[in-house]
Amino acid sequence: MLKIIKRTLKVKIILLIAVLITLSILFLSLIRVNNLPDLQVNELDKYYHCFAYFVLSLSWLSYFQVSSLNLKTNFIFLVIFALITFGIIIEVLQRALTSYRLFDHQDMIANSIGVLIATVLFLGVRKKVF
């Protein structure tokens, strides 16, 4: 009984983390950022995008792995597709809803690279970790 409670708690905590990361990325992607200093490094933000989507992907893949004892490869591809689509939707929302954020194809590529790197890492270690 205690083992079931621990597993359920673990699944719920990982889900909470994945949801919070998702909402944080959505929020940070749509807010106005007036008072930030100009770093004069135009491409550095692509690394931030890649890292954010790397973490986002690992959180969701971990959640689905822990909640489903037998995570199928087809479902992993569905998660990858959903995460890449999420990044594209955010870029479209930046164009449609804000006048202070830019639609950027390179951001979508960086987001997708982060998702793909996380997926490759996840597939490489999931049998050892989970």
Side-chain angles (χ1 to χ4, degrees):
M1 179 69 165
L2 187 57
K3 192 174 185 177
I4 294 171
I5 293 171
K6 283 184 180 181
R7 185 179 182 294
T8 303
L9 184 59
K10 181 179 179 180
V11 169
K12 292 199 182 286
I13 289 172
I14 294 173
L15 175 60
L16 178 64
I17 291 168
V19 169
L20 288 176
I21 292 170
T22 304
L23 292 175
S24 297
I25 289 174
L26 179 63
F27 177 74
L28 292 171
S29 296
L30 296 175
I31 64 167
R32 182 183 299 265
V33 285
N34 286 345
N35 298 329
L36 292 179
D38 188 9
L39 299 176
Q40 298 297 327
V41 182
N42 294 335
E43 303 305 317
L44 185 60
D45 78 308
K46 304 310 177 233
Y47 292 105
Y48 297 144
H49 279 264
C50 187
F51 180 74
Y53 278 78
F54 174 85
V55 172
L56 176 69
S57 301
L58 284 182
S59 68
W60 281 108
L61 289 168
S62 297
Y63 165 70
F64 288 118
Q65 179 69 39
V66 170
S67 66
S68 168
L69 297 177
N70 189 14
L71 187 60
K72 304 251 187 267
T73 304
N74 291 345
F75 190 75
I76 291 173
F77 286 120
L78 182 63
V79 172
I80 294 167
F81 177 76
L83 293 169
I84 290 173
T85 301
F86 177 70
I88 293 169
I89 289 170
I90 285 180
E91 289 300 319
V92 171
L93 289 174
Q94 286 177 338
R95 172 185 260 172
L97 299 179
T98 71
S99 60
Y100 46 86
R101 299 292 236 163
L102 300 174
F103 176 85
D104 189 352
H105 290 92
Q106 291 179 349
D107 287 350
M108 290 188 290
I109 292 169
N111 297 344
S112 300
I113 289 171
V115 171
L116 295 175
I117 291 171
T119 303
V120 169
L121 177 70
F122 175 79
L123 291 173
V125 301
R126 77 176 175 160
K127 298 293 184 196
K128 297 173 187 167
V129 174
F130 295 102

